[in-house]
Amino acid sequence: NDWGWLAGAIIAGGVVAPVLLLWGLSGSGAADTSLLLNFESVITTLIAAMLFREAVGTRVWIAAFIMLCGGMVLSYDSHKLSVFSPHSLAIAGACIAWAIDNNLTRKVSGADPLVTAMLKGLGAGSFNLGLGFAMGGALPGLGTMAITLALGFFAYGLSLVLFIYALRHLGVARTGAHFSTAPFVG
Protein backbone atom coordinates (compact mmCIF):
# COMPACT_ATOMS: atom_id res chain seq x y z
CA ASN A 1 0.00 0.00 0.00
CA ASP A 2 2.99 2.32 0.41
CA TRP A 3 4.12 2.28 -3.24
CA GLY A 4 1.80 5.09 -4.33
CA TRP A 5 2.85 7.36 -1.47
CA LEU A 6 6.51 6.57 -2.11
CA ALA A 7 6.22 7.16 -5.87
CA GLY A 8 4.52 10.50 -5.22
CA ALA A 9 7.29 11.48 -2.80
CA ILE A 10 9.98 10.54 -5.31
CA ILE A 11 8.31 12.50 -8.12
CA ALA A 12 7.57 15.60 -6.02
CA GLY A 13 10.74 15.77 -3.96
CA GLY A 14 13.27 13.99 -6.13
CA VAL A 15 12.25 15.01 -9.63
CA VAL A 16 10.14 18.20 -9.64
CA ALA A 17 11.73 20.06 -6.70
CA PRO A 18 15.40 19.72 -7.72
CA VAL A 19 14.67 20.83 -11.29
CA LEU A 20 12.77 23.88 -10.04
CA LEU A 21 15.46 24.69 -7.46
CA LEU A 22 18.32 24.48 -9.93
CA TRP A 23 16.53 26.63 -12.47
CA GLY A 24 15.66 29.09 -9.70
CA LEU A 25 19.28 29.18 -8.56
CA SER A 26 20.37 30.03 -12.10
CA GLY A 27 18.79 33.46 -11.68
CA SER A 28 18.95 34.03 -7.94
CA GLY A 29 21.71 34.33 -5.39
CA ALA A 30 22.53 31.63 -2.86
CA ALA A 31 21.68 33.85 0.13
CA ASP A 32 18.27 34.84 -1.28
CA THR A 33 17.55 31.23 -2.18
CA SER A 34 18.51 30.06 1.29
CA LEU A 35 16.02 32.49 2.81
CA LEU A 36 13.28 31.52 0.37
CA LEU A 37 13.73 27.88 1.37
CA ASN A 38 12.07 28.71 4.70
CA PHE A 39 8.75 28.48 2.89
CA GLU A 40 9.18 24.70 2.74
CA SER A 41 8.55 24.26 6.45
CA VAL A 42 5.59 26.63 6.49
CA ILE A 43 3.98 24.90 3.50
CA THR A 44 4.79 21.47 4.98
CA THR A 45 2.93 22.44 8.14
CA LEU A 46 -0.07 23.78 6.19
CA ILE A 47 -0.33 20.61 4.08
CA ALA A 48 0.10 18.38 7.15
CA ALA A 49 -2.71 20.13 8.99
CA MET A 50 -5.13 20.78 6.12
CA LEU A 51 -4.79 17.72 3.89
CA PHE A 52 -3.42 15.02 6.17
CA ARG A 53 -5.21 16.16 9.35
CA GLU A 54 -2.06 16.07 11.47
CA ALA A 55 -2.60 17.62 14.88
CA VAL A 56 -0.51 20.79 14.85
CA GLY A 57 -0.17 22.59 18.15
CA THR A 58 0.00 26.29 18.85
CA ARG A 59 3.78 26.25 19.33
CA VAL A 60 4.32 24.77 15.86
CA TRP A 61 1.98 27.36 14.28
CA ILE A 62 3.85 30.14 16.10
CA ALA A 63 7.18 28.70 14.92
CA ALA A 64 5.90 28.51 11.33
CA PHE A 65 4.68 32.10 11.52
CA ILE A 66 8.01 33.29 12.93
CA MET A 67 9.91 31.41 10.19
CA LEU A 68 7.67 32.98 7.55
CA CYS A 69 8.12 36.47 8.99
CA GLY A 70 11.85 35.99 9.50
CA GLY A 71 12.36 34.86 5.93
CA MET A 72 10.32 37.77 4.63
CA VAL A 73 12.13 40.36 6.76
CA LEU A 74 15.59 39.02 5.96
CA SER A 75 14.88 38.85 2.24
CA TYR A 76 13.23 42.28 2.02
CA ASP A 77 15.03 44.73 -0.20
CA SER A 78 13.60 48.27 -0.25
CA HIS A 79 15.38 48.98 -3.53
CA LYS A 80 13.53 46.28 -5.44
CA LEU A 81 9.92 46.26 -6.47
CA SER A 82 7.77 43.89 -4.45
CA VAL A 83 7.47 41.56 -7.41
CA PHE A 84 8.57 37.96 -7.42
CA SER A 85 10.88 36.99 -10.23
CA PRO A 86 10.24 33.77 -12.15
CA HIS A 87 13.36 32.33 -10.50
CA SER A 88 12.00 33.12 -7.03
CA LEU A 89 8.69 31.54 -7.99
CA ALA A 90 10.55 28.42 -9.14
CA ILE A 91 12.27 28.22 -5.74
CA ALA A 92 8.88 28.62 -4.02
CA GLY A 93 7.58 25.85 -6.31
CA ALA A 94 10.45 23.63 -5.17
CA CYS A 95 9.42 24.33 -1.58
CA ILE A 96 5.85 23.27 -2.37
CA ALA A 97 7.10 20.09 -4.05
CA TRP A 98 9.31 19.27 -1.04
CA ALA A 99 6.41 19.98 1.32
CA ILE A 100 4.35 17.43 -0.62
CA ASP A 101 7.31 15.02 -0.49
CA ASN A 102 7.62 15.49 3.29
CA ASN A 103 3.95 14.70 3.85
CA LEU A 104 3.95 11.71 1.50
CA THR A 105 7.15 10.36 3.10
CA ARG A 106 5.41 10.63 6.48
CA LYS A 107 2.83 8.15 5.15
CA VAL A 108 5.61 5.57 4.60
CA SER A 109 7.74 6.44 7.64
CA GLY A 110 6.72 3.21 9.38
CA ALA A 111 8.67 1.22 6.79
CA ASP A 112 12.41 0.65 7.00
CA PRO A 113 14.01 4.14 6.67
CA LEU A 114 17.11 2.69 5.00
CA VAL A 115 15.05 1.04 2.28
CA THR A 116 12.88 4.14 1.85
CA ALA A 117 15.93 6.40 1.54
CA MET A 118 17.57 3.97 -0.88
CA LEU A 119 14.48 3.80 -3.10
CA LYS A 120 14.06 7.58 -3.06
CA GLY A 121 17.74 8.08 -3.89
CA LEU A 122 17.77 5.51 -6.67
CA GLY A 123 14.53 6.76 -8.20
CA ALA A 124 15.34 10.46 -8.08
CA GLY A 125 19.03 9.97 -8.83
CA SER A 126 18.33 7.84 -11.90
CA PHE A 127 15.89 10.38 -13.28
CA ASN A 128 18.18 13.34 -12.67
CA LEU A 129 21.21 11.50 -14.07
CA GLY A 130 19.20 10.68 -17.19
CA LEU A 131 18.07 14.30 -17.43
CA GLY A 132 21.67 15.44 -17.15
CA PHE A 133 22.75 13.11 -19.95
CA ALA A 134 19.79 14.23 -22.09
CA MET A 135 20.91 17.83 -21.68
CA GLY A 136 24.41 16.98 -22.89
CA GLY A 137 26.13 16.40 -19.56
CA ALA A 138 28.89 13.89 -18.96
CA LEU A 139 30.16 12.03 -15.93
CA PRO A 140 32.99 13.71 -14.03
CA GLY A 141 36.32 12.04 -13.32
CA LEU A 142 36.51 9.17 -10.82
CA GLY A 143 37.98 11.36 -8.06
CA THR A 144 35.22 13.94 -8.35
CA MET A 145 32.62 11.19 -8.58
CA ALA A 146 33.93 9.51 -5.41
CA ILE A 147 33.85 12.78 -3.46
CA THR A 148 30.36 13.55 -4.77
CA LEU A 149 29.07 10.11 -3.81
CA ALA A 150 30.56 10.42 -0.31
CA LEU A 151 29.02 13.86 0.12
CA GLY A 152 25.68 12.57 -1.19
CA PHE A 153 25.78 9.66 1.26
CA PHE A 154 26.00 12.02 4.23
CA ALA A 155 24.15 15.08 2.94
CA TYR A 156 21.27 13.17 1.34
CA GLY A 157 21.31 9.54 2.39
CA LEU A 158 22.09 9.73 6.09
CA SER A 159 20.11 12.94 6.60
CA LEU A 160 17.10 11.36 4.84
CA VAL A 161 17.22 8.28 7.06
CA LEU A 162 17.33 10.49 10.16
CA PHE A 163 14.56 12.68 8.71
CA ILE A 164 12.34 9.60 8.22
CA TYR A 165 12.98 8.49 11.82
CA ALA A 166 12.01 11.98 12.95
CA LEU A 167 8.84 11.88 10.83
CA ARG A 168 7.91 8.60 12.49
CA HIS A 169 8.31 9.96 16.01
CA LEU A 170 7.59 13.70 15.75
CA GLY A 171 5.19 14.05 12.84
CA VAL A 172 5.79 16.05 9.69
CA ALA A 173 5.02 19.53 11.06
CA ARG A 174 7.45 19.31 14.00
CA THR A 175 10.12 17.59 11.92
CA GLY A 176 9.77 20.30 9.28
CA ALA A 177 10.16 23.00 11.93
CA HIS A 178 13.41 21.46 13.16
CA PHE A 179 14.63 20.82 9.62
CA SER A 180 14.00 24.43 8.64
CA THR A 181 17.00 25.61 10.62
CA ALA A 182 19.13 24.46 7.67
CA PRO A 183 18.43 27.51 5.43
CA PHE A 184 19.60 29.84 8.20
CA VAL A 185 22.80 27.84 8.50
CA GLY A 186 23.12 28.05 4.69
Side-chain angles (χ1 to χ4, degrees):
N1 294 333
D2 291 346
W3 288 110
W5 300 114
L6 184 59
I10 292 169
I11 292 167
V15 173
V16 175
V19 170
L20 288 172
L21 177 66
L22 289 176
W23 187 79
L25 272 170
S26 73
S28 181
D32 292 339
T33 299
S34 182
L35 294 172
L36 283 171
L37 290 174
N38 283 297
F39 290 121
E40 178 188 344
S41 179
V42 175
I43 297 166
T44 295
T45 302
L46 287 172
I47 291 172
M50 296 173 130
L51 295 179
F52 290 96
R53 305 287 185 220
E54 182 173 316
V56 178
T58 304
R59 290 186 319 167
V60 173
W61 284 120
I62 291 171
F65 180 73
I66 290 170
M67 285 183 285
L68 178 64
C69 291
M72 291 172 68
V73 167
L74 291 172
S75 61
Y76 176 73
D77 184 351
S78 62
H79 301 295
K80 293 182 181 176
L81 295 173
S82 60
V83 185
F84 291 104
S85 72
H87 295 282
S88 295
L89 292 175
I91 294 165
C95 291
I96 292 168
W98 277 317
I100 293 167
D101 172 20
N102 293 340
N103 280 279
L104 295 178
T105 302
R106 169 66 171 101
K107 299 293 280 181
V108 299
S109 66
D112 184 346
L114 293 171
V115 172
T116 302
M118 180 192 66
L119 291 172
K120 287 182 78 172
L122 286 172
S126 298
F127 174 84
N128 290 308
L129 186 62
L131 182 61
F133 285 141
M135 295 181 72
L139 290 176
L142 288 178
T144 301
M145 197 179 319
I147 292 169
T148 303
L149 289 170
L151 176 64
F153 171 78
F154 290 104
Y156 181 77
L158 185 59
S159 70
L160 180 56
V161 169
L162 296 173
F163 185 78
I164 294 169
Y165 275 119
L167 286 175
R168 181 186 296 172
H169 298 290
L170 298 176
V172 71
R174 283 182 188 84
T175 301
H178 290 295
F179 187 72
S180 68
T181 60
F184 286 108
V185 173

